[in-house]
Amino acid sequence: MKKIALASLFAAIPFAVSAAEKPETLKIGMTTFLTGPASVFGVPGQNAAEILVKNINENGGIAGVPIEISFIDEGAGAEALTSEYRRLVDEGAEVMMASISSGNCMTLAPLAEDLQVPNLMWDCGTQRIFEEADYKYVFRTQANAAPEMLATVVYLLKTNPDFKTIAVVNQDYAWGRDSWEIFSTALKAMKPDVEVLGEFFPKFGSPDFSTEISRLQAMRPDVILSTSWGGDLDTFVQQAFQRGLMNTSTFVLPLAESSLERLGNALPAGHIVGGRGDHYFLHPERRDDEDFKAFMEEYTEKTGQVSVYPVFHASQAFAALEAAYEKAIADNDVEWPSEEQLLAAFEGLEFQGLGRSVTIREDHQGVEDQLLGTSAQNGDYPFATLSNIMIFDGDDLTTPVGENSVEWIGGLDASFADSVAVDTFEK
Amino acid sequence: MDLTIFLLAVFDGVAYAALVFIVALGLTLIFGVMRILNVAHGSLYAIGAYVTVSLVAWAVAAGAAPVLAFPLMIVSAILVGVALGGPIEWLLLRRIYDKPEVLQLLVTFAVFMILEDVQRLVWGTQPYFQSTALMTLGNVTVFGVTYTVYQLILLPLIALVLLIGMRVFLRHTVVGKLILATTEDREAAQSIGIDADKVFLLTFVLGAVLAGLGGALASPTTSILPGMGADMIVLSFAVVATAGLGQIEGAALTALMLGLGRSFAVYLWPEVSVLVPYVIMIVVLSFRPQGLFSTPAARKI
């Protein structure tokens, strides 16, 4: 009897070391823009998170543990953001989701590492995070700027192979500059004969693009790229539409999926729209799925608007979280995983939010497919929807582990556009 | 640069300057008379835009003629000026005129922050766009480039009317002369029976109406969204500081300089277009710290 008891004790030791006590609630902190211009994305992200948490909790939580979520406003500035982030972790947040701004991701990734808290980068786009440093606690549950821009160039080349000239109008901050660097590098590699007629970087939050539009009308480029978003993109497209610029140039708008509803009829047919991943409320593969339809209806009921890509990104972060806990629990045969077990589960994790499935690579970068389409005004909705949709394979577009995105893209050639796996849909 | 491009740049610069001047005019008036640097001016501008967008959208939905968008802009500006400008002066600023300037800045900044949240509470975070007024006037093509009549003709015309109107109002009407007298010397004005409190209230409401009008006039051309007030207040301060605080004609000329500078930069050297307003401000203030049109004030004993 004594031997059996002793054996049981020894058998239990590794179990006790690796497992964790099941908490009453799983505390999560999420940073998102609740104020300022970026709240255009932040508030939909928050709305989505609230619905997702409610639904998860109604289904019994994660392994029986309900989620308790707190939000931090990224619009309050970097100092307030970092102190609030620390406070939430100090108060017991087990997982953090940060952030929307690439600048904030650059700030918070090292902080998460210092605080030893798992952090899911749920929306930021900078490709630099995992190219410039290795992280143990930081994971990205979506793609980054490199595949997003690369997919846009490939779509442009497939649909408008004969264009000769291009101009760019991007916001004058890191995203506007970096996305143009990736886009122009890809263009030089795959179609080096294209002439860049003009590079305009009006200030972030510019209320007026009239001068740029006049200049573009005088230049008459075949293609105009703008990676702008939110109010800037709305204003630029509206003003361009009002002055007829959209009749003479093809607009390429990689982030315009989030502006479709607001733009109404100001985005005419024939312009290229991207969704930063395969994010679209009429996703051609998923629009008829029950879970997809139910969420779209629930979101519209709550907000009065259709889902845009931060909603999809939030869904991916929560899908990754659920999948990682389930995997960690199953792999280790525990009731609740330790932090080490959870971190191990994120590596190589495959999960599915509202779009296609996403995989987290060994460098912690998410590999996500990319959806682009061409605007169409077919009367189904009071705003443009997408036609000629293509979904590109994220594996082909994502910079290989250990390589620098700009250098890798610069080494591609014209054959790359045809080598990328793509599914094409009429609607 | 050929003549065509030169003229296009001038058209764009004038249209941009007109809007900036209209907003800066209210700020200049308030500082000129009350010596208050009103940071909340940016919020009044933003709320003017939000109210206009809401009223015009409501009118259009109710089947009103599109041309009604123009009177609704004026109605919105007056609403903002009276409903917000009045209480701000009467309840807050009146208590701090004799306090240090930093306190005045803090109070108006606090009002700005509160009004930013009010905007979010009332209108949410989604951008609004309402271009009925702009579409009503249509387009005009010049040298092969299409402009909106609203921006190319109407805005500069309104700016000019406001400049001349303000000059006439201040120098040729009784109320204007009372304002000027109070500006010159509040104590002396009070000693001859001028009710300085009323003059200050009237001035602040008038400045607030101009801020609201700026927002109303901006609304058909831009997305109305959180943060737009902060953006405009920075530009307006740049105009007012460069012109010399309280200088109305100076504000007009400075807005024109900034508009043309930015426009020519976009045409010739787009990389620096963002910097142009600030470069102009730095250069001017380096040589004339009191601003282009101010003379150093004599100290009253």
Side-chain angles (χ1 to χ4, degrees):
Chain A
M1 190 66 193
K2 195 175 172 182
K3 270 186 185 174
I4 293 171
L6 205 59
S8 303
L9 186 64
F10 274 110
I13 285 174
F15 188 81
V17 168
S18 58
E21 193 180 335
K22 204 169 186 173
E24 283 184 18
T25 58
L26 174 59
K27 289 186 178 174
I28 295 173
M30 185 179 197
T31 72
T32 184
F33 279 96
L34 302 177
T35 55
S39 54
V40 174
F41 291 160
V43 171
Q46 182 192 34
N47 287 333
E50 284 171 347
I51 294 172
L52 291 160
V53 168
K54 177 181 75 73
N55 291 347
I56 291 170
N57 288 345
E58 281 175 1
N59 290 327
I62 294 179
V65 177
I67 294 174
E68 186 184 315
I69 189 163
S70 303
F71 296 97
I72 306 173
D73 180 15
E74 287 185 48
E79 198 174 320
L81 176 68
T82 50
S83 62
E84 282 296 293
Y85 189 98
R86 278 180 187 278
R87 184 181 63 77
L88 274 187
V89 175
D90 287 346
E91 289 176 359
E94 298 227 17
V95 176
M96 297 297 285
M97 295 180 179
S99 55
I100 288 181
S101 153
S102 290
N104 290 339
C105 271
M106 297 294 282
T107 304
L108 294 177
L111 181 61
E113 205 73 1
D114 283 348
L115 297 174
Q116 300 188 337
V117 60
N119 185 91
L120 305 183
M121 296 194 300
W122 70 278
D123 190 63
C124 59
T126 177
Q127 76 284 1
R128 289 168 50 196
I129 298 278
F130 299 122
E131 292 178 7
E132 294 181 0
D134 290 323
Y135 292 98
K136 179 181 175 186
Y137 286 87
V138 181
F139 303 87
R140 193 193 315 250
T141 51
Q142 29 98 35
N144 63 39
E148 289 166 12
M149 289 302 111
L150 204 45
T152 308
V153 174
V154 172
Y155 186 91
L156 174 62
L157 294 177
K158 282 182 181 294
T159 53
N160 292 262
D162 300 326
F163 76 99
K164 299 272 186 268
T165 54
I166 189 170
V168 60
V169 184
N170 280 3
Q171 291 150 312
D172 187 30
Y173 79 112
W175 165 251
R177 299 274 177 180
D178 292 349
S179 57
W180 172 236
E181 185 186 15
I182 295 170
F183 189 99
S184 58
T185 303
L187 204 54
K188 273 180 208 147
M190 287 185 259
K191 192 171 169 60
D193 59 330
V194 170
E195 185 186 357
V196 178
L197 293 184
E199 298 179 44
F200 301 98
F201 290 94
K203 72 183 173 60
F204 181 84
S206 179
D208 181 50
F209 298 90
S210 301
T211 312
E212 286 82 1
I213 289 169
S214 299
R215 191 75 188 102
L216 288 165
Q217 284 197 333
M219 285 175 167
R220 294 194 174 265
D222 296 331
V223 169
I224 295 171
L225 167 75
S226 180
T227 65
S228 303
W229 51 269
D232 291 27
L233 178 63
D234 296 2
T235 302
F236 177 52
V237 172
Q238 293 266 13
Q239 292 180 345
F241 171 68
Q242 287 160 352
R243 294 178 58 184
L245 182 59
M246 305 194 86
N247 299 329
T248 53
S249 299
T250 299
F251 275 57
V252 176
L253 310 167
L255 278 72
E257 175 268 348
S258 58
S259 289
L260 290 176
E261 188 175 17
R262 292 194 304 270
L263 284 171
N265 64 5
L267 179 59
H271 301 281
I272 295 172
V273 172
R276 285 200 68 200
D278 63 324
H279 309 320
Y280 181 41
F281 79 106
L282 297 173
H283 194 295
E285 290 175 345
R286 301 228 51 217
R287 60 185 295 178
D288 295 326
D289 292 357
E290 283 307 315
D291 63 330
F292 187 90
K293 280 200 300 190
F295 184 90
M296 292 300 136
E297 283 168 16
E298 194 174 3
Y299 184 84
T300 299
E301 197 176 314
K302 178 182 167 89
T303 65
Q305 286 142 6
V306 300
S307 293
V308 289
Y309 73 72
V311 170
F312 285 78
H313 280 168
S315 85
Q316 287 174 191
F318 281 92
L321 186 73
E322 279 189 284
Y325 270 101
E326 282 167 14
K327 184 180 167 197
I329 288 168
D331 286 353
N332 299 285
D333 195 20
V334 291
E335 276 198 32
W336 193 252
S338 67
E339 194 170 80
E340 289 294 329
Q341 289 166 346
L342 182 68
L343 293 175
F346 274 117
E347 277 196 32
L349 183 72
E350 187 175 344
F351 59 93
Q352 183 177 23
L354 291 166
R356 281 182 173 180
S357 67
V358 179
T359 306
I360 295 181
R361 297 192 310 200
E362 64 265 36
D363 64 345
H364 296 190
Q365 171 61 53
V367 178
E368 180 185 36
D369 294 350
Q370 299 290 321
L371 180 151
L372 286 105
T374 301
S375 60
Q377 292 277 0
N378 52 22
D380 292 346
Y381 293 86
F383 51 87
T385 51
L386 300 185
S387 63
N388 195 20
I389 291 173
M390 295 184 193
I391 304 182
F392 298 97
D393 190 327
D395 288 306
D396 297 336
L397 297 167
T398 309
T399 310
V401 177
E403 292 202 40
N404 174 284
S405 286
V406 175
E407 288 171 11
W408 176 67
I409 292 169
L412 303 176
D413 57 35
S415 67
F416 180 79
D418 293 326
S419 72
V420 180
V422 57
D423 294 311
T424 304
F425 306 84
E426 274 310 301
K427 190 167 182 180
Chain B
M1 183 181 221
D2 64 32
L3 184 63
T4 306
I5 297 293
F6 175 83
L7 289 174
L8 291 176
V10 169
F11 296 154
D12 286 313
V14 169
Y16 183 77
L19 190 64
V20 173
F21 167 69
I22 293 165
V23 182
L25 179 61
L27 199 65
T28 297
L29 181 70
I30 290 170
F31 186 84
V33 176
M34 305 165 71
R35 293 291 182 264
I36 290 269
L37 270 174
N38 180 28
V39 181
H41 202 72
S43 292
L44 299 171
Y45 162 82
I47 292 176
Y50 273 115
V51 171
T52 304
V53 163
S54 302
L55 283 182
V56 174
W58 168 77
V60 168
V67 75
L68 271 179
F70 295 102
L72 284 177
M73 287 178 179
I74 298 169
V75 169
S76 304
I78 294 170
L79 269 178
V80 169
V82 174
L84 290 174
I88 290 171
E89 198 281 338
W90 194 56
L91 296 172
L92 286 173
L93 300 184
R94 189 163 289 193
R95 300 163 195 275
I96 56 165
Y97 288 134
D98 54 351
K99 298 284 193 296
E101 284 169 359
V102 66
L103 187 69
Q104 297 174 353
L105 269 178
L106 278 175
V107 168
T108 58
F109 183 65
V111 174
F112 171 80
M113 298 293 282
I114 292 166
L115 291 179
E116 286 287 299
D117 271 351
V118 168
Q119 286 164 50
R120 204 157 57 91
L121 201 66
V122 176
W123 287 282
T125 54
Q126 287 293 306
Y128 290 80
F129 202 92
Q130 174 50 255
S131 59
T132 302
L134 186 137
M135 301 299 267
T136 303
L137 292 179
N139 292 344
V140 59
T141 301
V142 187
F143 303 127
V145 171
T146 305
Y147 286 94
T148 62
V149 172
Y150 183 88
Q151 287 171 294
L152 188 67
I153 298 169
L154 186 69
L155 284 184
L157 199 63
I158 290 174
L160 193 63
V161 167
L162 284 174
L163 174 63
I164 295 169
M166 188 60 74
R167 196 182 166 91
V168 170
F169 168 70
L170 287 176
R171 298 184 184 177
H172 300 285
T173 66
V174 175
V175 178
K177 285 176 182 170
L178 292 180
I179 289 175
L180 283 183
T182 313
T183 307
E184 199 63 36
D185 191 326
R186 182 177 178 171
E187 288 171 15
Q190 281 177 311
S191 70
I192 59 167
I194 295 173
D195 187 340
D197 286 348
K198 276 189 185 159
V199 168
F200 273 30
L201 178 62
L202 177 73
T203 304
F204 194 81
V205 168
L206 195 56
V209 168
L210 286 169
L213 184 63
L217 291 170
S219 67
T221 68
T222 190
S223 288
I224 313 304
L225 78 171
M228 68 177 293
D231 185 59
M232 186 48 97
I233 195 67
V234 171
L235 202 57
S236 302
F237 270 130
V239 169
V240 172
T242 309
L245 297 165
Q247 300 296 317
I248 290 170
E249 288 82 1
L253 194 63
T254 309
L256 198 58
M257 276 167 54
L258 297 194
L260 291 174
R262 177 183 171 278
S263 174
F264 276 94
V266 169
Y267 275 74
L268 300 173
W269 195 9
E271 291 86 351
V272 303
S273 61
V274 172
L275 295 174
V276 166
Y278 308 104
V279 170
I280 291 174
M281 186 169 77
I282 289 167
V283 170
V284 169
L285 295 182
S286 298
F287 292 99
R288 285 185 64 84
Q290 72 275 26
L292 266 182
F293 291 84
S294 279
T295 47
R299 186 173 178 148
K300 195 167 65 175
I301 300 172

